[in-house]
Amino acid sequence: PSEEIITLMWSFIVSIYTIGGLLGSLSAGYLSVRFGRKKAMLFANIPALLSATLMGLSRLCGSFEMIIAGRLFSGMCGGKSTFLPTLLTNWESSLALNIHLMYAGECAPQNLRGMIAITASTACAIGKFVGFALGLREVLGVDALWPILMAANALPALVQLFTLPFFPDSPRYLLIDKKDKEGCLKAVKQLWGDGDYRAEIDDMMTEQEAILGEKAKSICDLFHDKSVRWQFITLFLVASCTQLIGVNVV
């Protein structure tokens, strides 16, 4: 193909990740309530492993379309893609990262919740560093080894797939969405150890009573909800400015 077509294909490969991230982030809310935080995170490993398989075998099959499809699935699953060095775009928008933040925040005790939530950003930064290191020509960034580099995001997906089933589901999800108080208490004790957690349970019960009978809000409802207007505008501006600096602009 001509140089223009090659540039177009390369640009499409890079940008399709963002479309996958949009699809993943839009489905995160539904999946986390329908199947629970833990199961939804396990489901997110399916597009991660599928993307690694497609991109890892793309050279063997002589198909750049497989790289495009793999990038789309990689964007849907999200955080796993931080191992791909030069093809990074919007890791912030993804199925896995959104659900991970919910799960980690709801599983953490109140005094550690902020610190636990920030580990997602720390892990993404470490993933980017590892990705750029793996992409060096002295490591995997050579003509013969780049398919291995493209498939490297299968490693964290496999680790999560084999370890997450041993963890309990979110106590908040069990109590508020599943109405399973006994399961919530069991999960709290498994996560936080033996102790008196009546205050935390009472807080969740109060929240359950406050939202009883309320319909889950859609994206459109969020735009029209005046009670969160300024919080939404603030977060939107901060997130937008984040996309105008650093690796995305480069």
Side-chain angles (χ1 to χ4, degrees):
S2 66
E3 186 178 344
E4 289 78 10
I5 296 297
I6 292 175
T7 301
L8 179 64
M9 289 190 299
W10 177 247
S11 302
F12 196 68
I13 287 171
V14 173
S15 59
I16 195 68
Y17 180 84
T18 311
I19 305 301
L22 176 63
L23 297 174
S25 60
L26 289 176
S27 60
Y30 170 78
L31 292 175
S32 63
V33 174
R34 176 70 175 81
F35 299 104
R37 287 30 162 179
K38 187 174 82 168
K39 286 183 180 179
M41 288 177 66
L42 288 171
F43 289 156
N45 291 300
I46 296 175
L49 294 172
L50 187 56
S51 72
T53 303
L54 286 169
M55 292 190 290
L57 296 176
S58 60
R59 179 176 181 174
L60 183 64
C61 299
S63 171
F64 70 88
E65 294 89 350
M66 291 175 66
I67 301 180
I68 294 175
R71 285 282 292 167
L72 179 67
F73 286 120
S74 190
M76 289 177 64
C77 68
K80 316 295 186 301
S81 302
T82 51
F83 275 87
L84 301 177
T86 57
L87 301 180
L88 280 168
T89 49
N90 295 344
W91 55 264
E92 293 88 345
S93 301
S94 64
L95 174 63
L97 188 66
N98 284 321
I99 299 175
H100 163 79
L101 288 170
M102 274 191 281
Y103 181 74
E106 293 173 3
C107 287
Q110 286 185 355
N111 61 323
L112 298 176
R113 194 161 294 162
M115 184 180 72
I116 295 297
I118 204 67
T119 58
S121 299
T122 307
C124 287
I126 294 172
K128 287 184 178 184
F129 172 77
V130 173
F132 281 112
L134 291 177
L136 294 173
R137 293 190 178 276
E138 292 79 8
V139 190
L140 296 177
V142 292
D143 187 58
L145 298 177
W146 68 260
I148 299 175
L149 177 66
M150 299 287 279
N153 60 337
L155 295 178
L158 288 171
V159 170
Q160 179 174 272
L161 194 63
F162 289 121
T163 58
L164 191 58
F166 296 100
F167 288 78
D169 215 326
S170 158
R172 182 190 178 280
Y173 166 76
L174 292 171
L175 183 63
I176 294 180
D177 294 318
K178 298 292 287 184
K179 309 294 189 296
D180 184 3
K181 188 174 182 179
E182 184 178 340
C184 174
L185 287 169
K186 184 178 178 181
V188 165
K189 289 182 179 179
Q190 184 178 347
L191 289 165
W192 304 345
D194 294 328
D196 185 9
Y197 303 112
R198 280 178 294 181
E200 286 82 357
I201 300 295
D202 289 341
D203 285 343
M204 287 188 275
M205 293 291 291
T206 303
E207 182 182 354
Q208 182 187 32
E209 294 172 2
I211 64 175
L212 191 64
E214 280 193 15
K215 189 182 77 170
K217 293 190 187 309
S218 66
I219 299 295
C220 293
D221 294 332
L222 179 64
F223 279 102
H224 291 97
D225 190 347
K226 293 183 178 179
S227 64
V228 295
R229 179 70 50 80
W230 283 108
Q231 293 93 322
F232 179 77
I233 292 174
T234 303
L235 289 171
F236 181 82
L237 287 174
V238 171
S240 299
C241 291
T242 303
Q243 301 307 311
L244 299 176
I245 60 174
V247 70
N248 295 331
V249 173
V250 174

